[in-house]
Amino acid sequence: MNRTRTITGLLAVAVACLAMALIGPSAVSQTAPSRTKQAEPPKGKVDPRINAQFEKPDVKAWIERFESENREVFARRAEIVTALNLKPGMAVADLGAGTGLFTRLMADKVGAEGRVYAVDVSPGFLKHIAEQSRKLGQKQVTTVQGTQLATNLAPGTVDLVFICDVYHHLEDPEPVLASIRQALRPGGALVLIEFDRVKGKSTDFVLKHVRADKKQFFHEIEQAGFTLDPSQPKVKLAENFFARFRKDDRPPPTPAPGKSRRPDRGPRS
């Protein structure tokens, strides 16, 4: 009797082990996440890989890309600068200046008595801008090393901040917008040119590259203490939009308590 029970028990254990051997790998493969699949960035957040290419940029290659007639903002550069309504003696900032295309054009408009601050996180771009400024005799140009959290412009020093195809690269827009607001003089302007992300209309590049649409960007900027200027000039752009904001007179917004900050890494467009 005992021998029969022992044999039966051994058979049960063997069957159980065999079953586990057969279903084990299958069950694991169904529940364990794949290690090779690339995680997509959260919706509405900047892709953390988007700015790696600007840490040590090939400046010559970026000049060919940024300063090409195939790029809408370059082809429309004269119209864009005219719409800024710059006057001699003004102080302006080119945020995310890159190769210095608009820095040079704005320097011509504000004249020798004005000031243009070329702000970028990339030392390679800033070095190029400084060299070009010296060659062109544009002593009114000053380069400023910015970060992902601040422009590093002194408070109340500029009349206008210009951001062209750069806003979507900001990893944490809130502190940068606060820094912009602080740098602007009373009644100062923030001019934004950005890719117009529209589902069913925009290119695959824009849909994958730009984290949000115009409505979301406007909301972020207005929450930071700016008001859309209803009298802004109309600039005809197909791939981008042009928007001018005014610095509000109201007190700056207070950051949410406990809000996390991303580490300082470099951006550009």
Side-chain angles (χ1 to χ4, degrees), residues 70-239:
N70 294 325
R71 189 185 184 209
E72 183 177 53
V73 294
F74 180 83
R76 298 280 185 175
R77 61 193 181 281
E79 182 181 357
I80 289 170
V81 173
T82 298
L84 299 181
N85 196 29
L86 302 179
K87 306 295 182 184
M90 287 181 67
V92 299
D94 184 8
L95 184 62
T99 60
L101 165 64
F102 285 103
T103 296
R104 300 189 298 271
L105 298 174
M106 291 192 290
D108 287 338
K109 291 291 184 180
V110 301
E113 61 272 40
R115 178 70 61 185
V116 179
Y117 297 96
V119 184
D120 207 287
V121 299
S122 171
F125 283 140
L126 294 177
K127 179 182 178 182
H128 169 73
I129 291 172
E131 291 171 350
Q132 288 298 305
S133 298
R134 284 193 293 270
K135 291 179 181 179
L136 296 172
Q138 293 181 331
K139 297 180 180 180
Q140 64 271 47
V141 173
T142 300
T143 58
V144 179
Q145 178 82 49
T147 74
Q148 278 289 354
L149 298 179
T151 64
N152 287 335
L153 293 167
T157 53
V158 294
D159 302 296
L160 179 144
V161 173
F162 178 74
I163 310 178
C164 181
D165 285 350
V166 171
Y167 188 84
H168 67 277
H169 280 268
L170 300 181
E171 297 176 17
D172 199 344
E174 185 180 340
V176 178
L177 288 168
S179 179
I180 291 171
R181 193 177 188 279
Q182 184 182 50
L184 284 169
R185 294 167 178 164
L190 167 60
V191 172
L192 176 69
I193 294 178
E194 189 50 84
F195 289 115
D196 196 4
R197 190 184 193 279
V198 181
K199 290 184 178 180
K201 177 183 176 182
S202 299
T203 63
D204 286 342
F205 168 78
V206 172
L207 293 175
K208 294 176 181 178
H209 185 69
V210 180
R211 66 177 173 85
D213 59 14
K214 177 168 60 176
K215 182 179 179 181
Q216 175 62 29
F217 290 162
F218 281 18
H219 173 73
E220 294 170 0
I221 294 170
E222 289 169 347
Q223 286 291 107
F226 294 88
T227 301
L228 187 64
D229 188 348
S231 63
Q232 62 180 309
K234 303 297 182 183
V235 180
K236 296 180 180 180
L237 298 172
E239 297 177 355

